[in-house]
């Protein structure tokens, strides 16, 4: 990371920032470009190992691309705030962001599928006692990224060094 003064290295703080994010974008290779899509997500942390879970339709471009590869990148961000100024180059933007990559796959095991969906629901509802219809479980795709690398950055008022007039 170029701006080490903005890097967040505390694992607990990184998880706290992740918890405040409401969308995760994944990037998948698509021939000569990258296919990026925003998804609802949940996560599970066990003994320092982080797994992201997503859900969606069980067919389509996203599923086709996941079947063709085993790695993906991801990005999420939060705490957006424009900082206005009298001079154009003094404008800035506050935010917190997380970027990373990992091993992507489709979850087939019914118990792990339920666990992944519970992680997604817990992220948005603070409730993990959901019941899932067996027929719906057969139709929904659950995707996971086993995170191999991730970093976190925050820009706050304390980081700003704005040019003067």
């Amino acid at each position: 990371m170029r701006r080490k003064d903005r890097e967040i290295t505390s694992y607990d703080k990184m998880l706290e920032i992740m918890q405040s994010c409401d969308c995760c974008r994944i990037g998948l290779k698509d021939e000569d470009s990258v296919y990026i899509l925003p998804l609802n997500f949940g996560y599970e942390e066990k003994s320092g190992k982080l797994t992201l879970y997503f859900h969606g339709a069980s067919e389509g471009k996203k599923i086709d691309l996941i079947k063709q590869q085993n790695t993906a990148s991801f990005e999420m961000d939060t705490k957006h705030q424009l900082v206005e100024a009298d001079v154009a180059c003094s404008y800035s933007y506050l935010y917190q962001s997380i970027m990373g990559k990992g091993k992507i796959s489709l979850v087939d095991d019914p118990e792990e599928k339920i666990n992944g969906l519970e992680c997604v629901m817990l992220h948005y509802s603070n409730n993990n006692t959901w019941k899932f219809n067996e027929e719906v479980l057969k139709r929904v795709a659950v995707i996971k990224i086993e995170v191999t690398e991730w970093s976190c950055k925050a820009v706050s008022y304390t980081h700003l060094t704005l040019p003067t007039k």
Side-chain angles (χ1 to χ4, degrees), residues 33-125:
S33 67
V34 177
Y35 183 66
I36 300 171
L37 59 155
L39 295 168
N40 295 111
F41 75 102
Y43 64 93
E44 181 173 62
E45 190 279 332
K46 286 186 179 174
S47 303
K49 183 178 178 186
L50 183 64
T51 304
L52 304 177
Y53 288 99
F54 311 89
H55 70 91
S58 59
E59 55 186 41
K61 184 171 186 166
K62 160 182 71 213
I63 300 301
D64 294 342
L65 290 173
I66 291 168
K67 288 177 179 178
Q68 295 171 22
Q69 54 204 276
N70 63 2
T71 60
S73 295
F74 64 90
E75 186 279 340
M76 56 188 84
D77 47 75
T78 188
K79 306 282 186 194
H80 308 111
Q81 183 181 345
L82 179 66
V83 178
E84 297 181 355
D86 293 334
V87 179
C89 290
S90 293
Y91 265 67
S92 190
Y93 206 73
L94 310 181
Y95 64 92
Q96 296 174 333
S97 67
I98 293 174
M99 295 177 58
K101 63 183 177 179
K103 183 180 178 206
I104 192 166
S105 61
L106 296 169
V107 176
D108 293 320
D109 177 70
E111 287 183 29
E112 187 179 6
K113 217 174 192 186
I114 289 170
N115 180 63
L117 292 171
E118 287 174 341
C119 288
V120 172
M121 294 305 298
L122 180 61
H123 183 71
Y124 294 99
S125 72

